[in-house]
Amino acid sequence: MTVNFNLYMNDVVRQAREEAVNAGYRELRTPEEVDEAFAKKGTTLVLINSVCGCAGGIARPAAAHAIHYDKRPDQLVSVFAGQDKEATARARSYFTGYPPSSPSFALLKDGKIVKMIERHQIEGHDPAAVVAELQALFKEYCKEL
């Protein structure tokens, strides 16, 4: 049996995108979309999505569950590392002081980085622990919706 690697990866990427979108995150696929989203006033949670196991098993489930909280960001967006390269690079240009990391989360307020949850804080951790970290950020920086 032969497996077409590109076909397989396209399916993996499609599923990873759908999981984020179905959880309520708007995909930013171009640098212009990133700039437009980050220019909005208020808080923005950015999911830096990827196809690795810790993204699928920890980060995306945490992204979906963390937003069920009294306080949450004004907007939820995602960029896809390794797929939408220019959009991801533009998003990372806002994350001053943090090295590139995926999967990861960035919380911005009025377009400025407030805090990141980096890959090393996701990989090897329980999704519930990542949810708790996200919700602690929401409690500190976000308003009730």
Side-chain angles (χ1 to χ4, degrees):
M1 171 158 78
T2 304
V3 174
N4 182 316
F5 180 75
N6 289 331
L7 194 59
Y8 169 77
M9 285 308 297
N10 287 341
D11 190 51
V12 170
V13 169
R14 180 193 53 72
Q15 182 177 347
R17 288 184 190 279
E18 286 177 1
E19 287 177 16
V21 169
N22 289 342
Y25 291 75
R26 181 170 57 96
E27 273 194 298
L28 306 177
R29 299 189 72 173
T30 67
E32 295 78 19
E33 289 176 341
V34 170
D35 289 339
E36 181 184 320
F38 291 8
K40 291 182 179 174
K41 293 289 184 197
T43 52
T44 301
L45 180 65
V46 185
L47 163 63
I48 297 86
N49 203 353
S50 74
V51 296
C52 73
C54 62
I58 304 167
R60 287 192 301 274
H65 292 286
I67 60 175
H68 300 288
Y69 191 65
D70 293 341
K71 294 182 176 185
R72 63 177 257 189
D74 297 309
Q75 65 174 337
L76 306 170
V77 299
S78 68
V79 293
F80 207 121
Q83 301 300 313
D84 301 322
K85 294 176 184 177
E86 287 110 12
T88 303
R90 181 64 59 88
R92 286 176 171 157
S93 74
Y94 287 82
F95 309 155
T96 54
Y98 293 94
S101 177
S102 61
S104 58
F105 294 93
L107 184 66
L108 289 83
K109 185 165 186 155
D110 298 332
K112 305 284 186 216
I113 187 72
V114 172
K115 183 79 174 162
M116 282 199 76
I117 296 175
E118 299 175 83
R119 180 186 176 108
H120 70 85
Q121 297 167 287
I122 297 169
E123 187 175 33
H125 292 82
D126 184 85
V130 178
V131 167
E133 282 194 53
L134 287 167
Q135 289 179 341
L137 291 176
F138 300 169
K139 183 176 181 181
E140 184 172 351
Y141 296 102
C142 300
K143 61 184 182 214
E144 288 190 36
L145 296 180

